[in-house]
Amino acid sequence: MPPASAGRPNADDDLSTVLELERELQTAECRRDRERLARLLADDFTEVGASGTMWDKSSILDLLGSEISVEIEVIEPVGRVIGPGYVLLQWISRTPEMRARRTSLWRRTDTGWELVHHQGTPLA
């Protein structure tokens, strides 16, 4: 009889996968690819940006489609499984203009992982 966890990813695999997806989201290539972004963002996606602005999926897709490409560095990422099919990531972003503390909530679906919520808080 196979172990109870057979066929299910373990927490380390989930964290690794979600961190890889978060890093992908910070690349200029992904941010310019509306179809890829639409697959990665949940239909009920929300964001509180470092500016304090609230975004939903539609508005963030429009924003990123017109964004000037910038290199976003992911620093000190830490993740944890907070429930079945949910991973919380915390990290610091650095661009030439600013640094921010970031938090992302990811949810596993039948088709893969999707970003449900993101928040950025500026750092001095």
Short mmCIF file of all heavy atoms in Angstrom, two decimals, residues 41-79:
data_model
loop_
_atom_site.label_atom_id
_atom_site.label_comp_id
_atom_site.label_asym_id
_atom_site.label_seq_id
_atom_site.Cartn_x
_atom_site.Cartn_y
_atom_site.Cartn_z
N LEU A 41 -2.30 34.93 -12.54
CA LEU A 41 -3.11 35.70 -11.59
C LEU A 41 -4.50 35.08 -11.48
O LEU A 41 -5.16 34.82 -12.49
CB LEU A 41 -3.23 37.16 -12.04
CG LEU A 41 -1.92 37.93 -12.20
CD1 LEU A 41 -2.21 39.36 -12.66
CD2 LEU A 41 -1.11 37.92 -10.91
N ALA A 42 -4.95 34.89 -10.25
CA ALA A 42 -6.29 34.36 -10.00
C ALA A 42 -7.34 35.35 -10.50
O ALA A 42 -7.09 36.57 -10.53
CB ALA A 42 -6.49 34.10 -8.51
N ASP A 43 -8.50 34.85 -10.88
CA ASP A 43 -9.58 35.75 -11.31
C ASP A 43 -9.96 36.72 -10.19
O ASP A 43 -10.37 37.84 -10.46
CB ASP A 43 -10.79 34.96 -11.78
CG ASP A 43 -10.55 34.29 -13.13
OD1 ASP A 43 -9.61 34.70 -13.86
OD2 ASP A 43 -11.29 33.34 -13.44
N ASP A 44 -9.81 36.28 -8.93
CA ASP A 44 -10.15 37.13 -7.78
C ASP A 44 -8.91 37.81 -7.19
O ASP A 44 -8.91 38.25 -6.04
CB ASP A 44 -10.90 36.34 -6.70
CG ASP A 44 -10.13 35.14 -6.19
OD1 ASP A 44 -9.16 34.70 -6.84
OD2 ASP A 44 -10.51 34.61 -5.12
N PHE A 45 -7.85 37.94 -8.00
CA PHE A 45 -6.60 38.57 -7.57
C PHE A 45 -6.83 39.99 -7.07
O PHE A 45 -7.61 40.75 -7.65
CB PHE A 45 -5.62 38.61 -8.75
CG PHE A 45 -4.40 39.43 -8.50
CD1 PHE A 45 -3.34 38.92 -7.78
CD2 PHE A 45 -4.31 40.73 -8.99
CE1 PHE A 45 -2.20 39.68 -7.54
CE2 PHE A 45 -3.18 41.50 -8.76
CZ PHE A 45 -2.11 40.97 -8.03
N THR A 46 -6.11 40.34 -5.99
CA THR A 46 -6.08 41.71 -5.49
C THR A 46 -4.64 42.06 -5.13
O THR A 46 -3.84 41.19 -4.81
CB THR A 46 -6.95 41.89 -4.23
OG1 THR A 46 -6.52 40.98 -3.21
CG2 THR A 46 -8.43 41.69 -4.54
N GLU A 47 -4.33 43.33 -5.23
CA GLU A 47 -3.02 43.82 -4.82
C GLU A 47 -3.15 45.16 -4.14
O GLU A 47 -3.94 46.01 -4.58
CB GLU A 47 -2.08 43.97 -6.03
CG GLU A 47 -0.73 44.54 -5.64
CD GLU A 47 0.30 44.53 -6.75
OE1 GLU A 47 0.15 43.77 -7.72
OE2 GLU A 47 1.28 45.30 -6.63
N VAL A 48 -2.39 45.32 -3.08
CA VAL A 48 -2.18 46.63 -2.47
C VAL A 48 -0.74 46.97 -2.79
O VAL A 48 0.20 46.36 -2.25
CB VAL A 48 -2.40 46.61 -0.94
CG1 VAL A 48 -2.17 47.99 -0.35
CG2 VAL A 48 -3.79 46.09 -0.60
N GLY A 49 -0.55 47.88 -3.73
CA GLY A 49 0.79 48.22 -4.18
C GLY A 49 1.57 49.00 -3.15
O GLY A 49 1.01 49.52 -2.17
N ALA A 50 2.88 49.10 -3.36
CA ALA A 50 3.74 49.87 -2.46
C ALA A 50 3.31 51.33 -2.42
O ALA A 50 3.57 52.04 -1.45
CB ALA A 50 5.20 49.75 -2.89
N SER A 51 2.61 51.79 -3.45
CA SER A 51 2.09 53.16 -3.48
C SER A 51 0.81 53.32 -2.67
O SER A 51 0.33 54.42 -2.46
CB SER A 51 1.79 53.55 -4.93
OG SER A 51 0.73 52.73 -5.43
N GLY A 52 0.23 52.18 -2.24
CA GLY A 52 -1.05 52.21 -1.53
C GLY A 52 -2.24 52.00 -2.46
O GLY A 52 -3.37 51.87 -2.01
N THR A 53 -1.99 51.96 -3.77
CA THR A 53 -3.05 51.77 -4.75
C THR A 53 -3.57 50.34 -4.71
O THR A 53 -2.80 49.40 -4.59
CB THR A 53 -2.54 52.09 -6.17
OG1 THR A 53 -2.02 53.42 -6.17
CG2 THR A 53 -3.63 51.95 -7.21
N MET A 54 -4.89 50.18 -4.82
CA MET A 54 -5.52 48.86 -4.89
C MET A 54 -5.69 48.48 -6.36
O MET A 54 -6.10 49.31 -7.17
CB MET A 54 -6.90 48.89 -4.22
CG MET A 54 -6.87 49.14 -2.73
SD MET A 54 -6.35 47.70 -1.80
CE MET A 54 -7.62 46.53 -2.20
N TRP A 55 -5.39 47.22 -6.67
CA TRP A 55 -5.50 46.71 -8.02
C TRP A 55 -6.30 45.41 -8.00
O TRP A 55 -6.27 44.67 -7.03
CB TRP A 55 -4.12 46.41 -8.60
CG TRP A 55 -3.13 47.52 -8.50
CD1 TRP A 55 -2.22 47.75 -7.52
CD2 TRP A 55 -2.95 48.59 -9.43
NE1 TRP A 55 -1.50 48.88 -7.78
CE2 TRP A 55 -1.92 49.41 -8.95
CE3 TRP A 55 -3.56 48.91 -10.65
CZ2 TRP A 55 -1.47 50.53 -9.63
CZ3 TRP A 55 -3.12 50.04 -11.32
CH2 TRP A 55 -2.09 50.84 -10.81
N ASP A 56 -6.98 45.14 -9.12
CA ASP A 56 -7.59 43.82 -9.33
C ASP A 56 -6.90 43.22 -10.56
O ASP A 56 -5.98 43.82 -11.12
CB ASP A 56 -9.11 43.90 -9.48
CG ASP A 56 -9.56 44.72 -10.68
OD1 ASP A 56 -8.73 45.11 -11.54
OD2 ASP A 56 -10.77 44.98 -10.79
N LYS A 57 -7.33 42.05 -10.97
CA LYS A 57 -6.66 41.37 -12.08
C LYS A 57 -6.67 42.22 -13.35
O LYS A 57 -5.64 42.40 -13.99
CB LYS A 57 -7.31 40.01 -12.34
CG LYS A 57 -6.61 39.22 -13.43
CD LYS A 57 -7.20 37.83 -13.59
CE LYS A 57 -6.48 37.03 -14.65
NZ LYS A 57 -6.94 35.63 -14.69
N SER A 58 -7.82 42.73 -13.70
CA SER A 58 -7.95 43.50 -14.94
C SER A 58 -7.05 44.74 -14.91
O SER A 58 -6.34 45.03 -15.88
CB SER A 58 -9.41 43.90 -15.14
OG SER A 58 -9.54 44.74 -16.26
N SER A 59 -7.07 45.48 -13.82
CA SER A 59 -6.29 46.71 -13.76
C SER A 59 -4.79 46.44 -13.72
O SER A 59 -4.01 47.19 -14.31
CB SER A 59 -6.73 47.58 -12.58
OG SER A 59 -6.55 46.92 -11.35
N ILE A 60 -4.37 45.36 -13.07
CA ILE A 60 -2.93 45.06 -13.03
C ILE A 60 -2.45 44.56 -14.39
O ILE A 60 -1.33 44.87 -14.81
CB ILE A 60 -2.57 44.10 -11.88
CG1 ILE A 60 -1.10 44.26 -11.47
CG2 ILE A 60 -2.81 42.65 -12.24
CD1 ILE A 60 -0.80 45.48 -10.69
N LEU A 61 -3.29 43.82 -15.11
CA LEU A 61 -2.92 43.40 -16.46
C LEU A 61 -2.72 44.62 -17.36
O LEU A 61 -1.76 44.67 -18.15
CB LEU A 61 -3.97 42.46 -17.05
CG LEU A 61 -4.02 41.05 -16.47
CD1 LEU A 61 -5.22 40.29 -17.00
CD2 LEU A 61 -2.73 40.29 -16.75
N ASP A 62 -3.61 45.60 -17.25
CA ASP A 62 -3.47 46.82 -18.05
C ASP A 62 -2.22 47.59 -17.65
O ASP A 62 -1.48 48.07 -18.51
CB ASP A 62 -4.71 47.71 -17.89
CG ASP A 62 -5.93 47.14 -18.56
OD1 ASP A 62 -5.79 46.22 -19.41
OD2 ASP A 62 -7.05 47.59 -18.23
N LEU A 63 -1.98 47.71 -16.35
CA LEU A 63 -0.81 48.44 -15.86
C LEU A 63 0.49 47.79 -16.35
O LEU A 63 1.36 48.47 -16.89
CB LEU A 63 -0.80 48.50 -14.34
CG LEU A 63 0.48 49.06 -13.73
CD1 LEU A 63 0.53 50.56 -13.89
CD2 LEU A 63 0.60 48.67 -12.27
N LEU A 64 0.61 46.49 -16.15
CA LEU A 64 1.85 45.82 -16.53
C LEU A 64 2.06 45.80 -18.03
O LEU A 64 3.21 45.80 -18.49
CB LEU A 64 1.89 44.40 -15.95
CG LEU A 64 1.95 44.33 -14.42
CD1 LEU A 64 1.95 42.88 -13.96
CD2 LEU A 64 3.14 45.09 -13.87
N GLY A 65 0.98 45.83 -18.79
CA GLY A 65 1.09 45.87 -20.24
C GLY A 65 1.72 47.16 -20.75
O GLY A 65 2.30 47.19 -21.84
N SER A 66 1.64 48.22 -19.96
CA SER A 66 2.20 49.51 -20.37
C SER A 66 3.43 49.89 -19.53
O SER A 66 3.95 50.99 -19.67
CB SER A 66 1.14 50.60 -20.26
OG SER A 66 0.74 50.76 -18.90
N GLU A 67 3.88 48.98 -18.68
CA GLU A 67 5.00 49.26 -17.78
C GLU A 67 6.31 49.36 -18.55
O GLU A 67 6.57 48.59 -19.48
CB GLU A 67 5.08 48.12 -16.75
CG GLU A 67 6.20 48.24 -15.75
CD GLU A 67 6.24 47.06 -14.80
OE1 GLU A 67 6.47 45.92 -15.26
OE2 GLU A 67 6.03 47.27 -13.60
N ILE A 68 7.15 50.29 -18.14
CA ILE A 68 8.51 50.38 -18.66
C ILE A 68 9.30 49.26 -18.00
O ILE A 68 9.25 49.10 -16.77
CB ILE A 68 9.13 51.75 -18.36
CG1 ILE A 68 8.35 52.84 -19.08
CG2 ILE A 68 10.60 51.77 -18.74
CD1 ILE A 68 8.76 54.25 -18.70
N SER A 69 10.01 48.48 -18.79
CA SER A 69 10.76 47.35 -18.25
C SER A 69 11.75 47.79 -17.20
O SER A 69 12.51 48.74 -17.40
CB SER A 69 11.51 46.61 -19.36
OG SER A 69 10.60 46.02 -20.24
N VAL A 70 11.73 47.10 -16.07
CA VAL A 70 12.66 47.38 -15.00
C VAL A 70 13.09 46.03 -14.39
O VAL A 70 12.30 45.09 -14.35
CB VAL A 70 12.04 48.30 -13.92
CG1 VAL A 70 10.86 47.62 -13.24
CG2 VAL A 70 13.07 48.73 -12.91
N GLU A 71 14.33 45.96 -13.99
CA GLU A 71 14.83 44.75 -13.34
C GLU A 71 14.39 44.76 -11.88
O GLU A 71 14.66 45.71 -11.14
CB GLU A 71 16.36 44.72 -13.43
CG GLU A 71 16.98 43.40 -13.07
CD GLU A 71 16.67 42.30 -14.07
OE1 GLU A 71 16.49 42.62 -15.26
OE2 GLU A 71 16.59 41.15 -13.65
N ILE A 72 13.68 43.72 -11.46
CA ILE A 72 13.21 43.62 -10.07
C ILE A 72 13.96 42.46 -9.41
O ILE A 72 13.83 41.31 -9.83
CB ILE A 72 11.70 43.37 -9.99
CG1 ILE A 72 10.95 44.51 -10.69
CG2 ILE A 72 11.25 43.23 -8.54
CD1 ILE A 72 9.47 44.26 -10.86
N GLU A 73 14.74 42.79 -8.41
CA GLU A 73 15.51 41.79 -7.69
C GLU A 73 14.68 41.24 -6.52
O GLU A 73 14.07 42.01 -5.77
CB GLU A 73 16.80 42.41 -7.16
CG GLU A 73 17.75 41.44 -6.55
CD GLU A 73 19.05 42.11 -6.10
OE1 GLU A 73 19.23 43.32 -6.31
OE2 GLU A 73 19.88 41.38 -5.53
N VAL A 74 14.64 39.92 -6.38
CA VAL A 74 13.95 39.26 -5.28
C VAL A 74 15.00 38.92 -4.23
O VAL A 74 15.91 38.14 -4.48
CB VAL A 74 13.23 37.98 -5.75
CG1 VAL A 74 12.59 37.24 -4.58
CG2 VAL A 74 12.18 38.32 -6.81
N ILE A 75 14.86 39.51 -3.04
CA ILE A 75 15.85 39.37 -1.97
C ILE A 75 15.20 38.69 -0.76
O ILE A 75 14.06 39.01 -0.40
CB ILE A 75 16.39 40.75 -1.55
CG1 ILE A 75 17.00 41.47 -2.76
CG2 ILE A 75 17.41 40.63 -0.42
CD1 ILE A 75 17.29 42.93 -2.51
N GLU A 76 15.94 37.79 -0.14
CA GLU A 76 15.54 37.14 1.11
C GLU A 76 14.15 36.52 1.07
O GLU A 76 13.34 36.73 1.96
CB GLU A 76 15.62 38.13 2.28
CG GLU A 76 16.99 38.70 2.51
CD GLU A 76 17.02 39.76 3.60
OE1 GLU A 76 16.03 39.92 4.35
OE2 GLU A 76 18.04 40.45 3.70
N PRO A 77 13.85 35.72 0.04
CA PRO A 77 12.52 35.12 0.00
C PRO A 77 12.36 34.05 1.09
O PRO A 77 13.27 33.26 1.34
CB PRO A 77 12.46 34.49 -1.39
CG PRO A 77 13.89 34.22 -1.74
CD PRO A 77 14.68 35.31 -1.09
N VAL A 78 11.21 34.09 1.74
CA VAL A 78 10.85 33.11 2.77
C VAL A 78 9.42 32.69 2.48
O VAL A 78 8.55 33.53 2.26
CB VAL A 78 10.95 33.71 4.18
CG1 VAL A 78 10.50 32.70 5.23
CG2 VAL A 78 12.35 34.19 4.47
N GLY A 79 9.18 31.39 2.49
CA GLY A 79 7.83 30.91 2.24
C GLY A 79 7.40 29.88 3.26
O GLY A 79 8.24 29.26 3.91
#
